[in-house]
Amino acid sequence: YNLPISGQKIEKGQLLLEIKPPATLTEKLVNLHNNKGVNLLKLKQAEETLRRTEELFQSGSLPKKDYLQKKDDFLIAEATYNTSLAEFNIYKKLFQLSENGQENQYDFLKIHSPISGTIFESNVTYGEAIDSQKVLFRIINTEQLWLKVNIFNDDLAKVETFSKIYLELSGIAEPVLLNKQDYKLLSVSAMVDEKTGTIPVILKIPNPKGIFKINSFIRLSIEAKLKKNVLVIPNSSIFDE
């Protein structure tokens, strides 16, 4: 058995780690019970925050990006609580078995991946002592990514008329073409970057083959819809009176 490392792809249910329970199960059980209570409180707070944020979003008072962020925070809080609850129940069973002299039957606590994705962060080593507060792994699903694009103010009017976009990435010979139905415009910032004079735009793009990597730099070309049946007047034909 090998510990998964950062960047490694894993499947839902895959074994991530085996943990040897401490000798004093009673103390561990108390700590897990307290941790479960803390996570439940955080989950209720995240749920209430999401409810208020959704109301503001539905009324048009809040950008969609902020609403989606609070929704992600809620899902993280929910997953954290469920994990702490599952861990508490496992140790509770271990404690009950140890009282009956059957502890050796469940000598190791096995941690399995709750989702399919990629190991974004791994914080464990063999033989290390850990507690319930330690973040062991961070797992992300990279099949869809958020792409931050910096667009000059003069081109901002074209954002709503994007027809196709071409993404150029180092190491890939041909640009990746995305049609209008392939991606989604999530938000347009209300602020201008003082240093570059550009406006950040967030796009949601597909990444089923894992071509695009997190924190990588991508060159984007835009193909906007062209208006038809429009009269075009050359500059040479325009005079000041």
Side-chain angles (χ1 to χ4, degrees), residues 21-34 88 91-92 94-96 98-99 103:
T24 56
L25 282 175
T26 302
E27 180 181 353
K28 180 66 175 179
L29 196 60
V30 171
N31 291 336
L32 289 176
H33 181 270
N34 294 336
F88 171 77
Y91 272 92
K92 183 178 179 180
L94 281 173
F95 178 79
Q96 293 170 344
S98 66
E99 292 291 292
E103 181 179 354

Side-chain angles (χ1 to χ4, degrees), residues 7 9 117-118 141-145 167 169 172 174-178 205-214:
K9 290 187 176 297
T118 302
N141 188 333
T142 58
E143 291 188 356
Q144 290 187 323
L145 298 177
L167 305 177
L169 188 63
I172 300 179
E174 296 294 331
V176 178
L177 168 64
L178 295 180
I205 63 172
N207 189 36
K209 296 182 180 179
I211 296 176
F212 305 114
K213 309 301 180 184
I214 295 176

Side-chain angles (χ1 to χ4, degrees), residues 35-45 81 84:
N35 184 50
K36 176 172 65 72
V38 170
N39 288 334
L40 178 59
L41 178 61
K42 290 180 178 179
L43 174 59
K44 291 182 177 179
Q45 292 173 341
Y81 170 71
S84 63

Side-chain angles (χ1 to χ4, degrees), residues 33-73:
H33 181 270
N34 294 336
N35 184 50
K36 176 172 65 72
V38 170
N39 288 334
L40 178 59
L41 178 61
K42 290 180 178 179
L43 174 59
K44 291 182 177 179
Q45 292 173 341
E47 186 176 19
E48 176 61 22
T49 301
L50 177 61
R51 184 189 64 78
R52 295 197 304 267
T53 303
E54 187 172 9
E55 290 177 354
L56 292 173
F57 170 66
Q58 295 295 344
S59 67
S61 303
L62 196 71
K64 186 175 182 179
K65 181 180 68 172
D66 293 347
Y67 164 68
L68 292 175
Q69 181 60 59
K70 295 303 180 184
K71 187 175 182 180
D72 287 343
D73 292 344

Side-chain angles (χ1 to χ4, degrees), residues 151 158-165 180 183 222-224:
I151 296 180
K158 302 176 183 178
V159 169
E160 295 294 343
T161 60
F162 283 2
S163 175
K164 299 177 181 178
I165 60 175
K180 184 70 174 178
Y183 62 91
I222 301 169
E223 181 179 306

Side-chain angles (χ1 to χ4, degrees), residues 165-214:
I165 60 175
Y166 297 87
L167 305 177
E168 299 179 33
L169 188 63
S170 177
I172 300 179
E174 296 294 331
V176 178
L177 168 64
L178 295 180
N179 292 305
K180 184 70 174 178
Q181 66 271 18
D182 296 329
Y183 62 91
K184 185 176 183 180
L185 174 64
L186 295 182
S187 69
V188 178
S189 176
M191 303 291 292
V192 177
D193 190 307
E194 296 180 355
K195 296 181 180 180
T196 64
T198 58
I199 299 174
V201 173
I202 304 296
L203 301 176
K204 186 177 182 180
I205 63 172
N207 189 36
K209 296 182 180 179
I211 296 176
F212 305 114
K213 309 301 180 184
I214 295 176

